Amino acid sequence: MQPAAAPPAQVGGGARHLDVAAVSKSYRGQKVIDRLDFEASRGELVSLLGPSGCGKTTLLRLIAGLVSADGGDIAIGGRSVTRTPAHRRNVSVVFQNYALFPHLNVRDNVAFGLRARGREIGARVDDALALVRMGAFADRAVAALSGGQQQRVAVARALVVEPDLLLLDEPFSALDRKLRETMQVELKTLLWARAITAVFVTHDQDEALAVSSRIAVMNAGRIEQYAAPGALYDRPATPFALDFVGLSTRIAGRARRRDGEAVEIETPYGIVRAPRPGTAPAEGAPVLIGVRPERIALADAEAAPDENRIAVRLADVMALGSRTHLHGAAEADDRLLCELPGMAQTVAPGAEVTLRWRVADTLLYPL
Amino acid sequence: MNAENRIALLAAPGLLYLAALYALPLALLLTESLRDAEGALSLAAYVEFFADPFNRGVLWRTLRVAALTTLLALALAYPTALALSRARGWAQTAILVAMVLPLSVGVIVKAFAWSILFRANGAINGALMGLGVIDAPIRMLFTETALIIGAANVFLPFMVLPIYAVMRQLSPALPEAAATLGAGPFFRFFRVTLPLTLPGVIAGAAFTFSLSVSMYVIPSLIVGERQQTLSMLIARSFLFLRDEQLGATISAILLLIAIAVVLGSSWLAARVTGGRP
Ligand SMILES: Nc1ncnc2c1ncn2[C@@H]1O[C@H](COP(=O)(O)OP(=O)(O)OP(=O)(O)O)[C@@H](O)[C@H]1O
Ligand SMILES: [Mg+2]
């Protein structure tokens, strides 16, 4: 294994290498991509994360030129490619099912892009295969490869043409977890080492958190939030992002009154306070509270002034090895989840406990 | 006996049926062709057949017509199959119906319809003369060209359907992948779509060629006695000349052509798929 390369110097904020501006796409009158804005800096690996059917593949196909947009503009390297056909965009795609050419062997699959462009092949194909550690398989038929091997060939085939942009559509979804994690590290290292700009589609949040410098959370043809993994996890911008990335405790309530820097919220479990947002909710307005489960602990002694505490009865205790999940008995759509490190053997289902977390860790959303 | 071998038993009734009604009579014909006047084993009948320039001419015409019919059918069928595989909904149904429906109209009906169209005082000549393109009617019936055009028409579905069957299996992601790798429409077609649909082309060509080589009704109706083909020669030997040995000999030659087509096409198909399923 090669040593992990350093992350690119600029994470966002740099010159926009890929710039998708107000792009829309409808299928039979149904909006699949809705005035969507998206960008990536040179050398950056960004993820598109979203539920099935939210338009991730469609967005990739728009960027690759495999479908044309109904409106908006797509630019790569500062040049608009909206009217450029796919074969002149120099955007490589690793398809979800790899789409290797079954009538060509591994070497000819990788050489395809060079031949199509009339470029010299020379040692490039062998270099590309060596890069993905598939050199020994050059003369194999692609049907005689495992899923992981096919994936590597697909990556080699996409990289050998030195694309301006690499798009990957859930490339690891067919692999088992262990292989998937290995491939994630390999891909990340490889792209960083060559400073290749890449967009990585996944609906696996752990994968998105693991590989990318920024994550775009997609929902129903729009991007709900575009942020670095840490910021996305700590400060999800919408209830959708809160739910889709990571686990959370979520409680519906009503805003009561402002109390200095905090807002008081009335919930079925008592009063909870949250930091005051830019525009504080009106009194009586319905709101949603979110807390990351590892920010929550079991209360022992005195309440600190900057803490929230609620008393709950435990509905379930799940020991997960390195951590334990406590599920509180919750109302309606609420979820009360507390994550404790290690194997907590002191609590059992049915126990009455008090959960506590810092006011600063409380996320507040208007409903 | 393992499961796969037992499955093969399902073919037994069909094979027995073929053996009784195809292989056996053909074997009898073949032995007939290999006898001389005294009944001893001999190739004399074949030597005699090939010695006659008329016979060689008929054989050559039969092969030429079959090859050209196959080519014409292929040229028409490939784009049709492509359209069929890309079309959706009613458009696809319409093409399929247009392909298959003419099969239910007998060859005889078609041939008479064509003769109305093509004859000296027919619709085409009438139109051309009316437009002043030609002064005198051109002869279209009873020509080899008319035969090829007619045969390609009748056999078109047998070319379209095998190509379509393979083409619909072709994942649209493959030409798309080729496009993202920088391949323009021509490169995509000749390096991806065509090679991957060649098995269908080979199967369709083998069907069409076999059918064209042995066709009897179409040439009888379109070109008549003027330009004989092997099948017409066989019929004439049996029915008019009462020369069973000549008929058997030509039948054996036709059978050899058929075997060559089957073996050749399977060999080609195995080559282009390179062992792929
Ligand atoms: N060619 C098409 N014709 C009609 N509708 C389409 C077409 N392609 C996609 N859609 C629709 O557009 C929506 C978004 O599809 P898309 O494939 O982009 O989703 P996705 O986010 O990639 O989902 P998944 O995670 O399941 O791959 C879906 O509702 C889908 O049914
Ligand atoms: Mg998809």
Side-chain angles (χ1 to χ4, degrees):
Chain A
M1 167 95 8
Q2 304 160 29
Q10 25 159 308
V11 172
R16 289 181 172 193
H17 182 63
L18 166 68
D19 197 349
V20 175
V23 163
S24 297
K25 178 72 190 174
S26 298
Y27 284 118
R28 288 186 218 99
Q30 173 117 28
K31 266 218 156 42
V32 172
I33 298 292
D34 189 8
R35 291 192 59 80
L36 180 144
D37 296 309
F38 181 57
E39 44 86 19
S41 305
R42 186 175 291 282
E44 197 183 10
L45 171 55
V46 298
S47 284
L48 281 175
L49 176 65
S52 187
C54 71
K56 305 181 296 290
T57 297
T58 305
L59 178 55
L60 279 204
R61 294 172 63 80
L62 285 164
I63 297 171
L66 296 174
V67 290
S68 53
D70 298 338
D73 192 58
I74 298 170
I76 297 168
R79 185 174 60 99
S80 171
V81 295
T82 313
R83 309 247 165 279
T84 310
H87 64 279
R88 300 222 187 86
R89 286 197 187 184
N90 201 20
V91 173
S92 284
V93 183
V94 175
F95 291 84
Q96 182 162 1
N97 54 6
Y98 313 134
L100 296 178
F101 303 119
H103 59 304
L104 303 177
N105 66 15
V106 168
R107 174 178 283 119
D108 288 335
N109 260 279
V110 176
F112 189 94
L114 296 172
R115 294 211 170 99
R117 291 160 205 237
R119 289 214 216 130
E120 196 182 330
I121 294 172
R124 288 192 212 189
V125 169
D126 290 322
D127 289 349
L129 282 173
L131 200 66
V132 295
R133 296 199 264 111
M134 285 295 291
F137 297 85
D139 296 313
R140 279 265 192 112
V142 293
L145 296 179
S146 74
Q149 291 167 338
Q150 291 191 27
Q151 190 274 331
R152 288 171 203 215
V153 175
V155 169
R157 182 179 73 171
L159 285 181
V160 77
V161 296
E162 293 168 351
D164 290 332
L165 184 64
L166 178 65
L167 308 177
L168 305 111
D169 194 357
E170 306 197 29
F172 306 141
S173 61
L175 309 183
D176 66 61
R177 193 167 142 203
K178 247 195 138 134
L179 183 56
R180 192 160 69 220
E181 284 170 2
T182 315
M183 302 294 285
Q184 286 165 3
V185 175
E186 282 183 11
L187 180 77
K188 198 164 150 176
T189 313
L190 203 141
L191 295 182
W192 275 350
R194 313 187 118 206
I196 288 170
T197 314
V199 180
F200 188 102
V201 162
T202 178
H203 58 231
D204 176 350
Q205 47 148 322
D206 291 334
E207 188 164 81
L209 293 167
V211 302
S212 33
S213 56
R214 279 190 293 169
I215 299 172
V217 176
M218 244 184 117
N219 182 26
R222 294 184 141 274
I223 287 177
E224 294 239 342
Q225 187 174 10
Y226 191 24
L232 185 65
Y233 185 80
D234 287 340
R235 295 276 144 210
T238 63
F240 179 84
L242 169 76
D243 271 343
F244 202 76
V245 180
L247 297 168
S248 58
T249 280
R250 47 175 293 163
I251 304 169
R254 277 182 191 286
R256 230 171 57 146
R257 61 186 178 86
R258 284 154 239 173
D259 166 25
E261 284 305 291
V263 186
E264 281 192 355
I265 296 113
E266 204 174 293
T267 76
Y269 321 95
I271 301 292
V272 169
R273 285 179 304 147
R276 213 179 82 148
T279 47
E283 217 168 302
V287 293
L288 181 75
I289 289 163
V291 192
R292 291 302 186 191
E294 70 280 5
R295 306 278 182 185
I296 303 179
L298 291 183
D300 30 34
E302 297 289 289
D306 59 347
E307 266 183 3
N308 284 315
R309 300 183 151 232
I310 57 175
V312 297
R313 191 176 53 77
L314 288 183
D316 197 6
V317 175
M318 291 165 70
L320 301 170
S322 60
R323 61 205 195 281
T324 304
H325 281 175
L326 308 182
H327 291 268
E331 303 277 322
D333 290 336
D334 292 352
R335 188 171 52 230
L336 301 172
L337 176 63
C338 164
E339 181 178 301
L340 301 177
M343 308 278 269
Q345 281 145 350
T346 53
V347 283
E352 301 284 343
V353 298
T354 301
L355 304 180
R356 69 177 171 95
W357 68 90
R358 297 190 319 143
V359 170
D361 290 335
T362 311
L363 305 162
L364 180 66
Y365 306 97
L367 275 183
Chain B
M1 186 182 272
N2 62 29
E4 274 169 42
N5 289 342
R6 254 178 287 141
I7 293 276
L9 280 180
L10 289 176
L15 286 178
L16 278 177
Y17 176 81
L18 279 179
L21 283 146
Y22 179 78
L24 204 60
L26 270 179
L28 289 177
L29 264 183
L30 207 65
T31 31
E32 176 77 26
S33 74
L34 288 170
R35 285 216 192 104
D36 63 10
E38 282 82 49
L41 209 60
S42 134
L43 283 173
Y46 291 88
V47 174
E48 199 182 321
F49 176 84
F50 282 106
D52 187 341
F54 174 77
N55 289 341
R56 290 204 303 270
V58 170
L59 173 62
W60 169 234
R61 176 184 306 121
T62 305
L63 291 174
R64 183 177 62 219
V65 165
L68 291 173
T69 300
T70 306
L71 275 182
L72 178 60
L74 177 60
L76 294 170
Y78 199 90
T80 309
L82 198 62
L84 197 55
S85 68
R86 301 266 166 93
R88 293 283 170 271
W90 66 265
Q92 190 178 40
T93 314
I95 304 175
L96 259 179
V97 168
M99 269 298 110
V100 178
L101 201 59
L103 282 177
S104 66
V105 178
V107 175
I108 302 218
V109 176
K110 278 192 185 177
F112 279 118
W114 290 331
S115 56
I116 295 171
L117 201 64
F118 289 132
R119 67 193 171 196
N121 57 355
I124 294 182
N125 271 318
L128 289 177
M129 287 199 290
L131 290 169
V133 180
I134 51 172
D135 301 325
I138 36 174
R139 203 185 64 150
M140 285 178 284
L141 279 180
F142 308 115
T143 63
E144 200 176 294
T145 313
L147 175 56
I148 291 165
I149 293 174
N153 177 299
V154 174
F155 299 140
L156 191 61
F158 297 95
M159 184 68 97
V160 172
L161 294 178
I163 300 178
Y164 166 61
V166 172
M167 209 170 266
R168 60 187 293 194
Q169 310 280 331
L170 179 76
S171 161
L174 294 176
E176 285 180 356
T180 62
L181 290 167
F186 284 99
F187 198 93
R188 289 205 290 275
F189 178 76
F190 286 106
R191 296 302 186 89
V192 178
T193 309
L194 186 58
L196 284 171
T197 49
L198 265 189
V201 170
I202 293 168
F207 273 142
T208 311
F209 190 87
S210 305
L211 289 167
S212 315
V213 143
S214 58
M215 65 184 169
Y216 173 70
V217 177
I218 307 171
S220 312
L221 292 171
I222 298 184
V223 292
E225 291 291 303
R226 274 170 213 257
Q227 307 200 347
Q228 302 248 342
T229 62
L230 281 184
S231 293
M232 292 161 82
L233 219 51
I234 295 172
R236 201 180 58 154
S237 318
F238 281 120
L239 301 176
F240 300 111
L241 306 179
R242 305 264 167 208
D243 183 346
E244 289 200 2
Q245 199 182 28
L246 178 60
T249 306
I250 310 173
S251 303
I253 292 172
L254 211 47
L255 182 65
L256 280 179
I257 296 175
I259 292 173
V261 168
V262 170
L263 292 182
S265 64
S266 356
W267 176 80
L268 263 181
R271 261 191 67 110
V272 299
T273 53
R276 271 182 293 124

